[in-house]
Amino acid sequence: MVKEEAQKRVQELHDLLHQYNYEYHVLDKPSVSDAEYDRLMQELKSLEEQFPEMLTSDSPSVRVGGQILDAFNKVEHRTPMLSLGNAFNETDLRDFDRRAKQAVGEDVSYVCELKIDGLAVSLRYEQGFFVQGATRGDGTIGEDITENLKTVRSIPLKMKQPHSLEVRGEVFMPKKSFESLNKAKAENGEELFANPRNAAAGSLRQLDPKIAAKRNLDIYVYSIADVGETGVSAHSQGLDLLDELGFKTNPERRKCANIDEVITYIEGWTEKRPNLSYDIDGIVIKIDSLEQQQALGFTAKSPRWAIAYKFPAEEVVTKLLDIELSVGRTGVITPTAILEPVRVAGTTVQRASLHNEDLIREKDLKIGDTVVVKKAGDIIPEVVNVMVELRTGDEVEFSMPTHCPECESELVRLEEEVALRCINPACPAQIREGIIHFVSRNAMNIDGLGEKVIVQLFKEKLVENVADLYKLERERLLQLERMGEKSVDNLLKAIEMSKGNSLEKLLFGLGIRHVGAKAAKTLAQNFETMGNLQKATFEELVAIHEIGDKMADSVVTYFDLPEVEELLKELVEYGVNMDYKGPKLVSTEDIDSVFAGKTIVLTGKLEQLNRNEAKAEIEALGGKVTGSISKSTDLLIAGEAAGSKLAKAQELNIEIWDEERLILELKK
Ligand code: IVH
């Protein structure tokens, strides 16, 4: 075949195969036989072999899996991937509804969706082509799993219109595929997956896309991350648009006019849940209007315009075999229940944290008791209560030790605390746990350094403080158990990468008492460098709105320690970044603009400006954009067809501008 002819045929085959794939995997309505599909695919593959330059990244042939990777690259999400707040009962749902209506000052309507129990992914399209797919990761940075996602046949490689946008959805493994996968694994004597969710996660984490391709993964997409220019003004419209673009959305979604309809929908699915061909762990309830969504905004972790109703956790009965003690990073001694292994919510449980001695007393737990166990939020195992009526008299009372199980120094109970603590700063358990915390996801995010490896490094005295991580040598690491060339190289790469982290990650990783991830960010934003923070006084710290006395005190005490100064010096020597790299804080006092310090509400349709951009510009000029009109509102920007908010603003005598005026002032 001559080249031009081949090129034409390749294009025809692309179109046909994309269409047949879409009919089969998205619409569930095939129009050709499997044999015909396979024949065309074979024809395409042989043309691609003959003319390798014709093999493009959107070719239907990539569905079978391309190149094996060494490791997944990290990707920063353009808009963070947040999680959802939870509701466990009707009261929580009605509270959510009340808060939402109060905040927007009008009625709200909802879209209810099934909460698919899989893995959140983000799919980026440019000019219609699928260019990058990523896991959620820590919400800000995920992993690039594009090649694996291309093997998910219900993900379009090319959308039906050439938009550039980012789509979010949940990848899952249908129950049937999970069962046959586990059956095959059992026959080969391989370890089984605990549930479809873990199987889907394990499949997407394969470096060889050919494996993912065989796992029969599926997706339901549930939102457009950036509606931007699409003209969509309601979530339900966004989902309809996704359908039009060729995505697979969940058909069970419903619009609900009010919270009573939401509750009816939930009751229906509580019944029908077992009949579904895939697992769901709840119902997601979203406010439909995007204008109202924007007005409500986000907390640090989740949107205020959506909530996840979680089905009640499954409860099972088992035996409490023993109570073990562990020493945490801060020296707190935590008792853990050792249980007779039992299946609950898809996995085998044999340990559950008992938190502290008071909880053991409260629940009246004795070793040998028959206990009820569940998984809180379907993840964390928890002892619910004791079945006292089943006691035989052989149960043994438990008492907390007086000395540290790891370093044997005497334990203390600090004032106003329920916890017992080991206060020996040289306690090896605390140091080891501190290192585990340092490398964890929200801290320095060093992949490949699991707990087992850290325990090994610690035992071999290769790592005795966090700075030692940066002087690990390849040859020495290769001598450790279960560490091959590839894992050592990946680990060293991850350690090297972590040197460039922004200051807040390091600050959180250091494990300063009372400084959680959010506080670390606040400190980093306000002080910008480690040097500034080291010099900060108690007064300077408490002057920051979010920093209280307790935290300020703890920060000052921490940086006063000579060993901390030494440690930071060492980290600097190894090249660890000590500066904040995120967006800068601007003090409203420094901004000379009409918006500075003002509380502003946007309503109605803006003709020329994109709403998000308008908001960002106002905020950059020191204004605060909120969702509802109140006495503290300084200014209302009213676009076309502004409704109740305009009326309320007039009633309260609040200054009102139209879009023209806003544009004029933004340009000044
Ligand atoms: S909306 C801002 N819709 O549940 C987050 N999430 O905690 C918006 N999920 O990470 C998420 N089905 O992995 C949404 N129909 C659905 C969902 C869904 C499953 C997962 C998703 C998310 C988690 C929320």
PDB file of all heavy atoms in Angstrom, residues 155-184:
ATOM      1  N   ILE A 155     -12.614   5.342  28.838  1.00  0.00           N
ATOM      2  CA  ILE A 155     -12.045   6.701  28.830  1.00  0.00           C
ATOM      3  C   ILE A 155     -11.763   7.085  27.373  1.00  0.00           C
ATOM      4  O   ILE A 155     -10.960   6.428  26.712  1.00  0.00           O
ATOM      5  CB  ILE A 155     -10.728   6.771  29.637  1.00  0.00           C
ATOM      6  CG1 ILE A 155     -11.003   6.497  31.115  1.00  0.00           C
ATOM      7  CG2 ILE A 155     -10.037   8.125  29.457  1.00  0.00           C
ATOM      8  CD1 ILE A 155      -9.774   6.556  32.010  1.00  0.00           C
ATOM      9  N   PRO A 156     -12.420   8.134  26.860  1.00  0.00           N
ATOM     10  CA  PRO A 156     -12.154   8.497  25.461  1.00  0.00           C
ATOM     11  C   PRO A 156     -10.733   9.025  25.286  1.00  0.00           C
ATOM     12  O   PRO A 156     -10.260   9.812  26.098  1.00  0.00           O
ATOM     13  CB  PRO A 156     -13.180   9.595  25.165  1.00  0.00           C
ATOM     14  CG  PRO A 156     -13.741  10.022  26.464  1.00  0.00           C
ATOM     15  CD  PRO A 156     -13.442   8.974  27.487  1.00  0.00           C
ATOM     16  N   LEU A 157     -10.061   8.563  24.224  1.00  0.00           N
ATOM     17  CA  LEU A 157      -8.730   9.094  23.927  1.00  0.00           C
ATOM     18  C   LEU A 157      -8.885  10.423  23.196  1.00  0.00           C
ATOM     19  O   LEU A 157      -7.999  11.256  23.181  1.00  0.00           O
ATOM     20  CB  LEU A 157      -7.955   8.104  23.051  1.00  0.00           C
ATOM     21  CG  LEU A 157      -7.730   6.734  23.689  1.00  0.00           C
ATOM     22  CD1 LEU A 157      -7.054   5.791  22.707  1.00  0.00           C
ATOM     23  CD2 LEU A 157      -6.904   6.867  24.954  1.00  0.00           C
ATOM     24  N   LYS A 158     -10.082  10.588  22.607  1.00  0.00           N
ATOM     25  CA  LYS A 158     -10.368  11.821  21.882  1.00  0.00           C
ATOM     26  C   LYS A 158     -11.826  12.164  22.184  1.00  0.00           C
ATOM     27  O   LYS A 158     -12.692  11.294  22.034  1.00  0.00           O
ATOM     28  CB  LYS A 158     -10.182  11.541  20.395  1.00  0.00           C
ATOM     29  CG  LYS A 158     -10.121  12.730  19.526  1.00  0.00           C
ATOM     30  CD  LYS A 158      -9.863  12.250  18.102  1.00  0.00           C
ATOM     31  CE  LYS A 158     -10.484  13.200  17.114  1.00  0.00           C
ATOM     32  NZ  LYS A 158     -10.537  12.598  15.795  1.00  0.00           N
ATOM     33  N   MET A 159     -12.083  13.397  22.594  1.00  0.00           N
ATOM     34  CA  MET A 159     -13.467  13.766  22.886  1.00  0.00           C
ATOM     35  C   MET A 159     -14.195  14.078  21.579  1.00  0.00           C
ATOM     36  O   MET A 159     -13.565  14.313  20.556  1.00  0.00           O
ATOM     37  CB  MET A 159     -13.512  15.015  23.760  1.00  0.00           C
ATOM     38  CG  MET A 159     -12.858  14.850  25.107  1.00  0.00           C
ATOM     39  SD  MET A 159     -13.209  16.218  26.229  1.00  0.00           S
ATOM     40  CE  MET A 159     -12.570  17.616  25.369  1.00  0.00           C
ATOM     41  N   LYS A 160     -15.515  14.124  21.665  1.00  0.00           N
ATOM     42  CA  LYS A 160     -16.276  14.361  20.439  1.00  0.00           C
ATOM     43  C   LYS A 160     -16.225  15.827  19.988  1.00  0.00           C
ATOM     44  O   LYS A 160     -16.691  16.161  18.913  1.00  0.00           O
ATOM     45  CB  LYS A 160     -17.718  13.888  20.622  1.00  0.00           C
ATOM     46  CG  LYS A 160     -17.793  12.361  20.769  1.00  0.00           C
ATOM     47  CD  LYS A 160     -19.206  11.857  20.633  1.00  0.00           C
ATOM     48  CE  LYS A 160     -19.319  10.389  20.930  1.00  0.00           C
ATOM     49  NZ  LYS A 160     -18.740   9.558  19.854  1.00  0.00           N
ATOM     50  N   GLN A 161     -15.723  16.718  20.862  1.00  0.00           N
ATOM     51  CA  GLN A 161     -15.507  18.115  20.460  1.00  0.00           C
ATOM     52  C   GLN A 161     -14.126  18.523  20.942  1.00  0.00           C
ATOM     53  O   GLN A 161     -13.688  18.045  21.983  1.00  0.00           O
ATOM     54  CB  GLN A 161     -16.559  19.030  21.103  1.00  0.00           C
ATOM     55  CG  GLN A 161     -17.974  18.813  20.604  1.00  0.00           C
ATOM     56  CD  GLN A 161     -18.998  19.442  21.550  1.00  0.00           C
ATOM     57  OE1 GLN A 161     -18.703  20.396  22.265  1.00  0.00           O
ATOM     58  NE2 GLN A 161     -20.193  18.866  21.556  1.00  0.00           N
ATOM     59  N   PRO A 162     -13.448  19.429  20.214  1.00  0.00           N
ATOM     60  CA  PRO A 162     -12.042  19.714  20.554  1.00  0.00           C
ATOM     61  C   PRO A 162     -11.847  20.667  21.732  1.00  0.00           C
ATOM     62  O   PRO A 162     -11.112  21.631  21.647  1.00  0.00           O
ATOM     63  CB  PRO A 162     -11.502  20.320  19.258  1.00  0.00           C
ATOM     64  CG  PRO A 162     -12.683  20.962  18.634  1.00  0.00           C
ATOM     65  CD  PRO A 162     -13.884  20.139  18.999  1.00  0.00           C
ATOM     66  N   HIS A 163     -12.511  20.407  22.879  1.00  0.00           N
ATOM     67  CA  HIS A 163     -12.324  21.287  24.039  1.00  0.00           C
ATOM     68  C   HIS A 163     -11.003  21.004  24.733  1.00  0.00           C
ATOM     69  O   HIS A 163     -10.447  19.921  24.612  1.00  0.00           O
ATOM     70  CB  HIS A 163     -13.423  21.032  25.076  1.00  0.00           C
ATOM     71  CG  HIS A 163     -14.757  21.559  24.672  1.00  0.00           C
ATOM     72  ND1 HIS A 163     -14.975  22.881  24.411  1.00  0.00           N
ATOM     73  CD2 HIS A 163     -15.945  20.931  24.531  1.00  0.00           C
ATOM     74  CE1 HIS A 163     -16.252  23.045  24.095  1.00  0.00           C
ATOM     75  NE2 HIS A 163     -16.867  21.873  24.156  1.00  0.00           N
ATOM     76  N   SER A 164     -10.535  21.994  25.531  1.00  0.00           N
ATOM     77  CA  SER A 164      -9.406  21.756  26.430  1.00  0.00           C
ATOM     78  C   SER A 164      -9.963  21.843  27.834  1.00  0.00           C
ATOM     79  O   SER A 164     -10.396  22.917  28.261  1.00  0.00           O
ATOM     80  CB  SER A 164      -8.332  22.813  26.236  1.00  0.00           C
ATOM     81  OG  SER A 164      -7.803  22.674  24.939  1.00  0.00           O
ATOM     82  N   LEU A 165     -10.028  20.747  28.512  1.00  0.00           N
ATOM     83  CA  LEU A 165     -10.529  20.786  29.885  1.00  0.00           C
ATOM     84  C   LEU A 165     -10.066  19.593  30.702  1.00  0.00           C
ATOM     85  O   LEU A 165      -9.479  18.653  30.175  1.00  0.00           O
ATOM     86  CB  LEU A 165     -12.059  20.905  29.945  1.00  0.00           C
ATOM     87  CG  LEU A 165     -12.937  20.116  28.994  1.00  0.00           C
ATOM     88  CD1 LEU A 165     -13.174  18.729  29.534  1.00  0.00           C
ATOM     89  CD2 LEU A 165     -14.258  20.840  28.863  1.00  0.00           C
ATOM     90  N   GLU A 166     -10.327  19.700  32.026  1.00  0.00           N
ATOM     91  CA  GLU A 166      -9.915  18.637  32.933  1.00  0.00           C
ATOM     92  C   GLU A 166     -11.162  18.017  33.535  1.00  0.00           C
ATOM     93  O   GLU A 166     -12.043  18.720  34.018  1.00  0.00           O
ATOM     94  CB  GLU A 166      -9.026  19.233  34.021  1.00  0.00           C
ATOM     95  CG  GLU A 166      -8.265  18.185  34.787  1.00  0.00           C
ATOM     96  CD  GLU A 166      -7.151  18.794  35.629  1.00  0.00           C
ATOM     97  OE1 GLU A 166      -6.498  19.751  35.166  1.00  0.00           O
ATOM     98  OE2 GLU A 166      -6.970  18.312  36.744  1.00  0.00           O
ATOM     99  N   VAL A 167     -11.216  16.694  33.475  1.00  0.00           N
ATOM    100  CA  VAL A 167     -12.393  15.962  33.912  1.00  0.00           C
ATOM    101  C   VAL A 167     -12.000  15.089  35.101  1.00  0.00           C
ATOM    102  O   VAL A 167     -10.883  14.593  35.160  1.00  0.00           O
ATOM    103  CB  VAL A 167     -12.869  15.084  32.728  1.00  0.00           C
ATOM    104  CG1 VAL A 167     -13.917  14.089  33.144  1.00  0.00           C
ATOM    105  CG2 VAL A 167     -13.389  15.961  31.604  1.00  0.00           C
ATOM    106  N   ARG A 168     -12.913  14.934  36.071  1.00  0.00           N
ATOM    107  CA  ARG A 168     -12.602  14.082  37.224  1.00  0.00           C
ATOM    108  C   ARG A 168     -13.567  12.907  37.267  1.00  0.00           C
ATOM    109  O   ARG A 168     -14.745  13.047  36.878  1.00  0.00           O
ATOM    110  CB  ARG A 168     -12.760  14.896  38.522  1.00  0.00           C
ATOM    111  CG  ARG A 168     -11.904  16.158  38.530  1.00  0.00           C
ATOM    112  CD  ARG A 168     -10.600  15.918  39.234  1.00  0.00           C
ATOM    113  NE  ARG A 168      -9.577  16.869  38.878  1.00  0.00           N
ATOM    114  CZ  ARG A 168      -9.296  17.991  39.546  1.00  0.00           C
ATOM    115  NH1 ARG A 168      -9.994  18.315  40.617  1.00  0.00           N
ATOM    116  NH2 ARG A 168      -8.300  18.771  39.170  1.00  0.00           N
ATOM    117  N   GLY A 169     -13.100  11.801  37.741  1.00  0.00           N
ATOM    118  CA  GLY A 169     -13.977  10.642  37.823  1.00  0.00           C
ATOM    119  C   GLY A 169     -13.401   9.564  38.715  1.00  0.00           C
ATOM    120  O   GLY A 169     -12.330   9.732  39.306  1.00  0.00           O
ATOM    121  N   GLU A 170     -14.125   8.462  38.803  1.00  0.00           N
ATOM    122  CA  GLU A 170     -13.716   7.370  39.674  1.00  0.00           C
ATOM    123  C   GLU A 170     -13.486   6.120  38.830  1.00  0.00           C
ATOM    124  O   GLU A 170     -14.396   5.661  38.128  1.00  0.00           O
ATOM    125  CB  GLU A 170     -14.846   7.118  40.689  1.00  0.00           C
ATOM    126  CG  GLU A 170     -14.448   6.292  41.871  1.00  0.00           C
ATOM    127  CD  GLU A 170     -13.852   7.089  43.013  1.00  0.00           C
ATOM    128  OE1 GLU A 170     -13.594   8.309  42.854  1.00  0.00           O
ATOM    129  OE2 GLU A 170     -13.628   6.498  44.075  1.00  0.00           O
ATOM    130  N   VAL A 171     -12.253   5.588  38.884  1.00  0.00           N
ATOM    131  CA  VAL A 171     -11.954   4.330  38.204  1.00  0.00           C
ATOM    132  C   VAL A 171     -12.290   3.198  39.159  1.00  0.00           C
ATOM    133  O   VAL A 171     -11.997   3.280  40.352  1.00  0.00           O
ATOM    134  CB  VAL A 171     -10.468   4.267  37.797  1.00  0.00           C
ATOM    135  CG1 VAL A 171     -10.101   2.875  37.298  1.00  0.00           C
ATOM    136  CG2 VAL A 171     -10.177   5.295  36.715  1.00  0.00           C
ATOM    137  N   PHE A 172     -12.938   2.169  38.660  1.00  0.00           N
ATOM    138  CA  PHE A 172     -13.330   1.066  39.542  1.00  0.00           C
ATOM    139  C   PHE A 172     -13.226  -0.251  38.796  1.00  0.00           C
ATOM    140  O   PHE A 172     -13.095  -0.272  37.568  1.00  0.00           O
ATOM    141  CB  PHE A 172     -14.760   1.271  40.064  1.00  0.00           C
ATOM    142  CG  PHE A 172     -15.793   1.268  38.968  1.00  0.00           C
ATOM    143  CD1 PHE A 172     -16.515   0.119  38.662  1.00  0.00           C
ATOM    144  CD2 PHE A 172     -16.027   2.412  38.214  1.00  0.00           C
ATOM    145  CE1 PHE A 172     -17.459   0.110  37.636  1.00  0.00           C
ATOM    146  CE2 PHE A 172     -16.964   2.415  37.183  1.00  0.00           C
ATOM    147  CZ  PHE A 172     -17.678   1.265  36.893  1.00  0.00           C
ATOM    148  N   MET A 173     -13.316  -1.353  39.558  1.00  0.00           N
ATOM    149  CA  MET A 173     -13.350  -2.664  38.931  1.00  0.00           C
ATOM    150  C   MET A 173     -14.722  -3.272  39.227  1.00  0.00           C
ATOM    151  O   MET A 173     -15.111  -3.378  40.388  1.00  0.00           O
ATOM    152  CB  MET A 173     -12.243  -3.555  39.505  1.00  0.00           C
ATOM    153  CG  MET A 173     -12.118  -4.878  38.771  1.00  0.00           C
ATOM    154  SD  MET A 173     -10.825  -5.933  39.447  1.00  0.00           S
ATOM    155  CE  MET A 173      -9.367  -5.175  38.804  1.00  0.00           C
ATOM    156  N   PRO A 174     -15.462  -3.656  38.180  1.00  0.00           N
ATOM    157  CA  PRO A 174     -16.770  -4.259  38.425  1.00  0.00           C
ATOM    158  C   PRO A 174     -16.630  -5.518  39.294  1.00  0.00           C
ATOM    159  O   PRO A 174     -15.591  -6.187  39.244  1.00  0.00           O
ATOM    160  CB  PRO A 174     -17.259  -4.613  37.022  1.00  0.00           C
ATOM    161  CG  PRO A 174     -16.457  -3.763  36.096  1.00  0.00           C
ATOM    162  CD  PRO A 174     -15.142  -3.542  36.756  1.00  0.00           C
ATOM    163  N   LYS A 175     -17.683  -5.833  40.075  1.00  0.00           N
ATOM    164  CA  LYS A 175     -17.607  -6.968  41.012  1.00  0.00           C
ATOM    165  C   LYS A 175     -17.238  -8.266  40.298  1.00  0.00           C
ATOM    166  O   LYS A 175     -16.425  -9.046  40.797  1.00  0.00           O
ATOM    167  CB  LYS A 175     -18.957  -7.154  41.712  1.00  0.00           C
ATOM    168  CG  LYS A 175     -19.294  -6.091  42.734  1.00  0.00           C
ATOM    169  CD  LYS A 175     -20.627  -6.477  43.396  1.00  0.00           C
ATOM    170  CE  LYS A 175     -21.283  -5.326  44.113  1.00  0.00           C
ATOM    171  NZ  LYS A 175     -22.696  -5.581  44.413  1.00  0.00           N
ATOM    172  N   LYS A 176     -17.844  -8.485  39.116  1.00  0.00           N
ATOM    173  CA  LYS A 176     -17.594  -9.735  38.376  1.00  0.00           C
ATOM    174  C   LYS A 176     -16.130  -9.861  37.975  1.00  0.00           C
ATOM    175  O   LYS A 176     -15.521 -10.923  38.126  1.00  0.00           O
ATOM    176  CB  LYS A 176     -18.446  -9.764  37.096  1.00  0.00           C
ATOM    177  CG  LYS A 176     -19.817 -10.318  37.287  1.00  0.00           C
ATOM    178  CD  LYS A 176     -20.163 -11.315  36.160  1.00  0.00           C
ATOM    179  CE  LYS A 176     -21.479 -12.015  36.467  1.00  0.00           C
ATOM    180  NZ  LYS A 176     -22.628 -11.095  36.229  1.00  0.00           N
ATOM    181  N   SER A 177     -15.553  -8.765  37.465  1.00  0.00           N
ATOM    182  CA  SER A 177     -14.147  -8.798  37.041  1.00  0.00           C
ATOM    183  C   SER A 177     -13.254  -9.073  38.238  1.00  0.00           C
ATOM    184  O   SER A 177     -12.248  -9.776  38.132  1.00  0.00           O
ATOM    185  CB  SER A 177     -13.732  -7.466  36.427  1.00  0.00           C
ATOM    186  OG  SER A 177     -14.687  -7.037  35.523  1.00  0.00           O
ATOM    187  N   PHE A 178     -13.631  -8.482  39.382  1.00  0.00           N
ATOM    188  CA  PHE A 178     -12.848  -8.691  40.601  1.00  0.00           C
ATOM    189  C   PHE A 178     -12.855 -10.172  40.987  1.00  0.00           C
ATOM    190  O   PHE A 178     -11.816 -10.759  41.300  1.00  0.00           O
ATOM    191  CB  PHE A 178     -13.434  -7.836  41.728  1.00  0.00           C
ATOM    192  CG  PHE A 178     -12.970  -8.223  43.101  1.00  0.00           C
ATOM    193  CD1 PHE A 178     -11.665  -7.953  43.498  1.00  0.00           C
ATOM    194  CD2 PHE A 178     -13.825  -8.852  43.998  1.00  0.00           C
ATOM    195  CE1 PHE A 178     -11.229  -8.313  44.766  1.00  0.00           C
ATOM    196  CE2 PHE A 178     -13.399  -9.214  45.260  1.00  0.00           C
ATOM    197  CZ  PHE A 178     -12.090  -8.941  45.644  1.00  0.00           C
ATOM    198  N   GLU A 179     -14.044 -10.770  40.917  1.00  0.00           N
ATOM    199  CA  GLU A 179     -14.139 -12.182  41.294  1.00  0.00           C
ATOM    200  C   GLU A 179     -13.316 -13.066  40.358  1.00  0.00           C
ATOM    201  O   GLU A 179     -12.584 -13.945  40.816  1.00  0.00           O
ATOM    202  CB  GLU A 179     -15.600 -12.640  41.322  1.00  0.00           C
ATOM    203  CG  GLU A 179     -16.250 -12.265  42.637  1.00  0.00           C
ATOM    204  CD  GLU A 179     -17.754 -12.084  42.518  1.00  0.00           C
ATOM    205  OE1 GLU A 179     -18.362 -12.658  41.591  1.00  0.00           O
ATOM    206  OE2 GLU A 179     -18.319 -11.328  43.338  1.00  0.00           O
ATOM    207  N   SER A 180     -13.396 -12.793  39.048  1.00  0.00           N
ATOM    208  CA  SER A 180     -12.629 -13.682  38.166  1.00  0.00           C
ATOM    209  C   SER A 180     -11.127 -13.433  38.294  1.00  0.00           C
ATOM    210  O   SER A 180     -10.331 -14.360  38.177  1.00  0.00           O
ATOM    211  CB  SER A 180     -13.119 -13.629  36.720  1.00  0.00           C
ATOM    212  OG  SER A 180     -13.163 -12.319  36.287  1.00  0.00           O
ATOM    213  N   LEU A 181     -10.738 -12.181  38.581  1.00  0.00           N
ATOM    214  CA  LEU A 181      -9.314 -11.900  38.788  1.00  0.00           C
ATOM    215  C   LEU A 181      -8.800 -12.683  40.005  1.00  0.00           C
ATOM    216  O   LEU A 181      -7.762 -13.337  39.954  1.00  0.00           O
ATOM    217  CB  LEU A 181      -9.107 -10.395  38.999  1.00  0.00           C
ATOM    218  CG  LEU A 181      -7.706  -9.953  39.395  1.00  0.00           C
ATOM    219  CD1 LEU A 181      -6.693 -10.263  38.305  1.00  0.00           C
ATOM    220  CD2 LEU A 181      -7.662  -8.446  39.701  1.00  0.00           C
ATOM    221  N   ASN A 182      -9.557 -12.622  41.096  1.00  0.00           N
ATOM    222  CA  ASN A 182      -9.130 -13.335  42.301  1.00  0.00           C
ATOM    223  C   ASN A 182      -9.125 -14.852  42.106  1.00  0.00           C
ATOM    224  O   ASN A 182      -8.283 -15.550  42.656  1.00  0.00           O
ATOM    225  CB  ASN A 182     -10.006 -12.953  43.490  1.00  0.00           C
ATOM    226  CG  ASN A 182      -9.309 -11.920  44.378  1.00  0.00           C
ATOM    227  OD1 ASN A 182      -8.177 -11.515  44.089  1.00  0.00           O
ATOM    228  ND2 ASN A 182      -9.970 -11.524  45.440  1.00  0.00           N
ATOM    229  N   LYS A 183     -10.080 -15.324  41.311  1.00  0.00           N
ATOM    230  CA  LYS A 183     -10.136 -16.762  41.053  1.00  0.00           C
ATOM    231  C   LYS A 183      -8.851 -17.192  40.326  1.00  0.00           C
ATOM    232  O   LYS A 183      -8.194 -18.162  40.711  1.00  0.00           O
ATOM    233  CB  LYS A 183     -11.375 -17.078  40.202  1.00  0.00           C
ATOM    234  CG  LYS A 183     -11.707 -18.536  40.157  1.00  0.00           C
ATOM    235  CD  LYS A 183     -13.148 -18.763  39.684  1.00  0.00           C
ATOM    236  CE  LYS A 183     -13.288 -20.160  39.146  1.00  0.00           C
ATOM    237  NZ  LYS A 183     -13.474 -20.218  37.688  1.00  0.00           N
ATOM    238  N   ALA A 184      -8.482 -16.408  39.306  1.00  0.00           N
ATOM    239  CA  ALA A 184      -7.262 -16.730  38.559  1.00  0.00           C
ATOM    240  C   ALA A 184      -6.042 -16.651  39.469  1.00  0.00           C
ATOM    241  O   ALA A 184      -5.135 -17.472  39.392  1.00  0.00           O
ATOM    242  CB  ALA A 184      -7.113 -15.762  37.389  1.00  0.00           C
TER     243      ALA A 184
END
